[in-house]
Amino acid sequence: RSEPRSGRATAPPRHSVRRGNFGPALRRRRVQDMPDSSPNTKPVGSSPRRGQELRTCDSEPVLELEDSPPHSMRASLVVDAPGTHTARSRVPLALSCCLSAGLAALLLLALSREPEATRVVVVDRSREACGGNGMLYPGEDACDCFDCFEDPSCSTRLEGEACVVVANSGTPYLFEDYWLARPRSAPLSVLPSYHIGYDAHVPRLEAAIRSLHGLVGNAVTDGREVVVGIGSTELIAAALYALSPTQDEATASVWSRAPYYSGYKQSATFFRSAGFEWAADNASSPPPATAERPLIELVTSPNNPDGHARAASVAGPHSSAVMDHAYLWPHFTAVGPPVAYGNSTVALFTLSKMTGHASTRVGWALCSDPHVAGRMRDFVQTATFGSPRENQLRALAVVEHVVGSGGEIFTFARGRMLRRWERLEALFASLPEAGQPEAGQEAA
């Protein structure tokens, strides 16, 4: 019997069931006419339990992992490239005894050759487990139901007044179908020993962000510093701190032209800072900017909630701006020349509206002034000791997928929104005009 190579797992004989050290974690079965390994491939036979992964090589046997196998085996089964899943086959002892020493050696050598790469099919059944009416996330016993559905499997539909659709949330569920169809497009695995200290800097994420803007063409990153924070909310507060005057006798006015994002006021008032104060309530025009009372303008472009492109209203030696570009991506708006601001302006971007990963809480700022970037980092470090590495790693995996796919997600999201917009237009076109009776009714 040949021995496995160092660090490699030994594959069981083709038509046997091997339990051994792995117990019930691994079982093997024959599947005929295996469908193509697309992201939407469904398994043949009974539905696997939650958490199972389907791994197949066309019509070869399927490996189903029902429980978490040992780390070494898990690494050997997740394969993508030729040579990553290698094992030596065993020769039955009786056969070896009957063959001459030379023939047995040749047979062992032939059986030791590495097989062709195994293709891996991973199917995300998070929504299917809830009948399409919710999502079942790993480690949870009940589904997270969509509006108008309830019970642990989301199989009960609410009718009439009991069905309430919450339409005022900004949660970006738009991207859910994209990621359901690509469960292995942005994998993430973190070892317990990974950077257990306080240093939270992930240089590779900064490089990926620069590549992302280079692909999209929505911002110049050359000569700019990248500051990563816990979403745009923290970065807005950090930018206000960084742009506010450092002398004790001066206080900046924070202003935004209506309609503006409601979170701006909270960011400007929550900490009750002595360096700046909110000045946009009932103010249709900006307050004057002076040395004793400089102005910080908050601008969203494209704007939330009306979607219009905006620029700063005030320019001068005592004014600065925070340009919130959460929606400056190809699926929301036409991307014009890349933004390139001077020292008095901070540009903000966020992962949530680009890929839908809002709860990952990762955003970034582009600053041309190293002093402003340094003060923003000081704020983030003091407030939260930096952005958690695990969050940054997930953001890194997602951003690298977007860059590697050539921005495929933008095409998906724009097509989805255009179809929804066409449905809305058709719906409103079918409604009677204001003051006009519906068909079959007489005017009052």
Side-chain angles (χ1 to χ4, degrees), residues 287-323:
T290 65
E292 295 75 22
R293 195 76 171 179
L295 176 68
I296 305 175
E297 183 178 358
L298 297 173
V299 184
T300 309
S301 183
N303 189 41
N304 177 5
D306 58 23
H308 294 162
R310 284 185 166 186
S313 304
V314 180
H318 304 298
S319 63
S320 56
V322 178
M323 299 297 299

Side-chain angles (χ1 to χ4, degrees), residues 79-105:
V79 295
D80 289 302
T84 58
H85 178 46
T86 305
R88 294 178 184 267
S89 301
R90 297 187 180 88
V91 178
L93 182 60
L95 178 61
S96 298
C97 294
C98 296
L99 298 175
S100 65
L103 183 58

Side-chain angles (χ1 to χ4, degrees), residues 103-428:
L103 183 58
L106 290 174
L107 183 57
L108 285 171
L109 179 63
L111 291 175
S112 299
R113 296 179 61 188
E114 296 186 0
E116 295 183 0
T118 302
R119 288 191 302 171
V120 179
V121 179
V122 180
V123 182
D124 188 339
R125 303 196 178 282
S126 303
R127 186 186 294 164
E128 182 180 321
C130 305
N133 304 321
M135 294 286 287
L136 181 61
Y137 298 111
E140 298 184 4
D141 297 325
C143 295
D144 182 9
C145 298
F146 301 151
D147 291 340
C148 299
F149 292 92
E150 64 177 11
D151 75 33
S153 61
C154 302
S155 58
T156 301
R157 178 167 186 152
L158 303 177
E159 303 289 349
E161 294 183 356
C163 176
V164 178
V165 176
V166 180
N168 66 345
S169 171
T171 302
Y173 290 126
L174 164 73
F175 305 95
E176 196 169 70
D177 284 342
Y178 180 87
W179 297 112
L180 278 169
R182 297 162 179 81
R184 295 199 63 212
S185 57
L188 177 63
S189 178
V190 183
L191 295 174
S193 61
Y194 175 76
H195 282 284
I196 61 175
Y198 285 111
D199 181 17
H201 183 48
V202 182
R204 187 171 162 185
L205 175 58
E206 178 180 329
I209 288 171
R210 294 182 185 275
S211 298
L212 172 67
H213 287 297
L215 170 71
V216 176
N218 59 349
V220 173
T221 59
D222 292 343
R224 270 76 180 171
E225 297 198 30
V226 178
V227 180
V228 176
I230 304 181
S232 288
T233 300
E234 181 179 51
L235 290 173
I236 291 169
L240 293 177
Y241 168 79
L243 295 172
S244 62
T246 55
Q247 60 269 31
D248 295 337
E249 63 272 12
T251 300
S253 299
V254 180
W255 179 81
S256 187
R257 178 158 51 97
Y260 52 79
Y261 169 52
S262 59
Y264 287 158
K265 181 177 180 179
Q266 183 179 16
S267 295
T269 59
F270 183 80
F271 292 103
R272 298 182 180 180
S273 172
F276 53 85
E277 63 181 16
W278 181 248
D281 285 341
N282 304 317
S284 58
S285 58
T290 65
E292 295 75 22
R293 195 76 171 179
L295 176 68
I296 305 175
E297 183 178 358
L298 297 173
V299 184
T300 309
S301 183
N303 189 41
N304 177 5
D306 58 23
H308 294 162
R310 284 185 166 186
S313 304
V314 180
H318 304 298
S319 63
S320 56
V322 178
M323 299 297 299
D324 186 350
H325 291 310
Y327 300 95
L328 190 57
W329 301 104
H331 47 320
F332 289 120
T333 186
V335 175
V339 297
Y341 301 114
N343 290 350
S344 62
T345 301
V346 173
L348 301 183
F349 297 87
T350 178
L351 193 69
S352 60
K353 301 303 187 293
M354 185 186 73
T355 66
H357 294 87
S359 62
T360 300
R361 307 308 306 139
V362 169
W364 61 92
L366 299 180
C367 307
S368 58
D369 186 346
H371 174 71
V372 172
R375 293 199 71 193
M376 290 188 68
R377 292 192 182 99
D378 288 344
F379 180 94
V380 171
Q381 184 66 23
T382 302
T384 56
F385 263 103
S387 180
R389 275 185 174 269
E390 290 78 4
N391 300 41
Q392 294 186 68
L393 289 179
R394 189 184 191 193
L396 171 63
V398 169
V399 172
E400 287 189 340
H401 164 75
V402 173
V403 174
S405 65
E408 181 184 44
I409 193 171
F410 301 132
T411 303
F412 166 87
R414 183 167 180 81
R416 177 65 59 89
M417 288 193 293
L418 284 173
R419 289 192 297 273
R420 290 179 176 180
W421 186 255
E422 290 170 355
R423 292 173 62 187
L424 282 173
E425 285 186 322
L427 174 63
F428 283 106

